[in-house]
Amino acid sequence: MGERIDTLVVGAGQAGIAMSEHLGKQGVPHLVLEKNRVAEAWRSGRWDALVANGPAWHDRFPNLEHESCGPDAFPTKEKVADYLCAYAEMVNAPIRTGVEVRRASRLPGRSGFRVETSDGVIEAQRIVAATGAFQHPVVPRLVPEDSGVTQMHSFDYRNPGQLPEGAVLVVGGGSSGAQIADELNRAGRKVFLSIGAHDRPPRAYRGRDYCWWLGVLGLWDQAALEPGREHVAIAVSGAYGGATMDFRRLASEGVTLMGVTKSYGNGALHFADDLAANIADGDANYLSVLDAADAYAERMGLDLPEEPEARAAWPDPACLTHPILDLNLAQEGVSTIIWATGFRQDFGWLEVDAFDEAGRPVHQRGVSQEPGVYFLGLPWQSRRGSTFIWGVWHDAKHVADQIAIQRNYEAYSPAGAQA
């Protein structure tokens, strides 16, 4: 007979820790399994110079402030990991590290699940998959491995010294791609940056951080993406003290911009002629935030300093007015391609009827269509902020409440019925 537990939480990152806190408050017996260390992805799945994309006052759980830096600073990745470890200790999360969950399936003929781990079998009445949104790096199969160019995902990038000498092509204009391109350019590398559709919010405006503006404007609680915006990246950064990510500025500093990477052949990469449109859409997003902030400040009578210079645009660089559609890697001295192309989720270990034909979880705010199965840390699980530390905390509370409700139903016995 293996170990038994009411609720098994898989993953001890920010989602699993938040889940443990709320289950503990509800009095639900539970166990959190983590195949590596607590908050491992923050330590080993990020580059050396990464800082949080939100200030410390915002990117945290409600019941503990960051003690390692000021509230308006952007914590380093190590400080974020240390913070999560401290929080897990504060809430007495029953975490067992170094244990990998390999397979989970429903017990035949009765409620609950058989969970096979690297440390034996566990029977659980419920399972919460809290493995997060960033599980397996996605690398497009465009450039052959024998092309002579070093290729890696942003997940594996650490610092400029890690790369061979030569120019670098970064593919992806979201936060990771933009920040890595900026860092490599500051290190003296020749950098090409391929960008697609993106949102480009201001880092701060009229004395308030972007995170504050999204909060007062109610945009963190936006329930779903607009149709067609599912793959739009967000270019925002807390690096170097926090500054608005402006691609024209990067170009003025030496980064060469291209549109979406389309194909490869005869030693050259080919790009879509969409750079100008992508930049224009990013500008429109940026200005829409300024407009909304100005309207809110006027409506609420806020005494915030006006900032007309925020609307001044950098001049169009040559790579924007005369876009590069083909890039011969050898001729341009490109020795490395960094694919900042996102991640895919993998729930292959969870053998239950909880997914659609594409393998995506079917759920309502984390409550699966499969009884006893729950999800946490999914993008847009309940709102725009669901993958942020504070957002996953609120989602965890909802999931824990639903688990407590189900436990109450299970405990019900009609008056006079025998046990």
Side-chain angles (χ1 to χ4, degrees), residues 222-267:
Q222 186 178 348
L225 280 166
E226 299 173 14
R229 304 284 294 176
E230 293 85 359
H231 303 292
V232 174
I234 299 178
V236 65
S237 172
Y240 313 107
T244 297
M245 184 57 68
D246 191 313
F247 290 111
R248 289 186 180 84
R249 174 182 62 80
L250 287 184
S252 75
E253 295 170 355
V255 175
T256 301
L257 307 176
M258 287 92 68
V260 170
T261 302
K262 287 177 53 179
S263 60
Y264 174 85
N266 298 320

Side-chain angles (χ1 to χ4, degrees), residues 334-358:
V334 175
S335 62
T336 305
I337 299 176
I338 297 176
W339 299 96
T341 41
F343 297 79
R344 65 175 176 84
Q345 296 172 318
D346 181 8
F347 296 103
W349 56 273
L350 191 51
E351 299 177 1
V352 296
D353 184 21
F355 307 96
D356 63 15
E357 294 180 354

Side-chain angles (χ1 to χ4, degrees), residues 205 286 290 306-313:
Y205 181 59
Y286 171 82
L290 303 192
E306 294 187 4
E307 196 176 336
E309 64 273 15
R311 296 178 181 273

Side-chain angles (χ1 to χ4, degrees), residues 214-215 217-224 380 382-385 390-391 394:
L214 260 63
L217 293 171
L219 298 178
W220 283 125
D221 287 327
Q222 186 178 348
W380 292 84
S382 69
R383 68 194 79 189
R384 181 178 190 165
W390 63 269
H394 290 284

Side-chain angles (χ1 to χ4, degrees), residues 50-271:
L50 177 70
V51 299
N53 277 338
W57 67 263
H58 185 264
D59 281 9
R60 65 177 180 88
F61 291 133
N63 300 319
L64 182 67
E65 296 183 358
H66 284 272
E67 296 182 352
S68 61
C69 62
D72 294 315
F74 299 91
T76 66
K77 68 186 188 75
E78 290 292 339
K79 289 180 179 179
V80 173
D82 290 343
Y83 172 87
L84 293 174
C85 289
Y87 200 89
E89 183 176 352
M90 183 185 77
V91 300
N92 296 314
I95 298 173
R96 193 176 297 170
T97 58
V99 181
E100 181 180 7
V101 173
R102 294 172 174 168
R103 182 173 181 263
S105 57
R106 184 168 287 286
L107 291 167
R110 58 191 176 96
S111 62
F113 303 87
R114 172 186 167 88
V115 183
E116 300 174 12
T117 81
S118 59
D119 193 38
V121 175
I122 298 175
E123 286 192 8
Q125 192 69 15
R126 277 161 280 274
I127 295 176
V128 181
T131 48
F134 310 109
Q135 296 177 31
H136 295 284
V138 173
V139 176
R141 296 182 178 179
L142 286 181
V143 181
E145 293 183 1
D146 61 0
S147 64
V149 177
T150 298
Q151 300 184 66
M152 67 176 64
H153 192 270
S154 57
F155 180 85
D156 299 304
Y157 171 76
R158 294 295 174 267
N159 55 65
Q162 165 196 16
L163 308 182
E165 295 294 326
V168 182
L169 167 64
V170 179
V171 180
S175 291
S176 294
Q179 290 180 47
I180 291 172
D182 191 11
E183 176 177 272
L184 289 168
N185 187 60
R186 290 170 185 254
R189 293 297 188 100
K190 183 178 181 182
V191 179
F192 298 90
L193 177 60
S194 167
I195 63 174
H198 61 275
D199 285 346
R200 189 177 68 80
R203 173 70 272 173
Y205 181 59
R206 298 184 68 169
R208 295 291 188 272
D209 189 84
Y210 164 68
C211 293
W212 187 87
W213 283 114
L214 260 63
V216 299
L217 293 171
L219 298 178
W220 283 125
D221 287 327
Q222 186 178 348
L225 280 166
E226 299 173 14
R229 304 284 294 176
E230 293 85 359
H231 303 292
V232 174
I234 299 178
V236 65
S237 172
Y240 313 107
T244 297
M245 184 57 68
D246 191 313
F247 290 111
R248 289 186 180 84
R249 174 182 62 80
L250 287 184
S252 75
E253 295 170 355
V255 175
T256 301
L257 307 176
M258 287 92 68
V260 170
T261 302
K262 287 177 53 179
S263 60
Y264 174 85
N266 298 320
L269 274 167
H270 310 291
F271 305 92

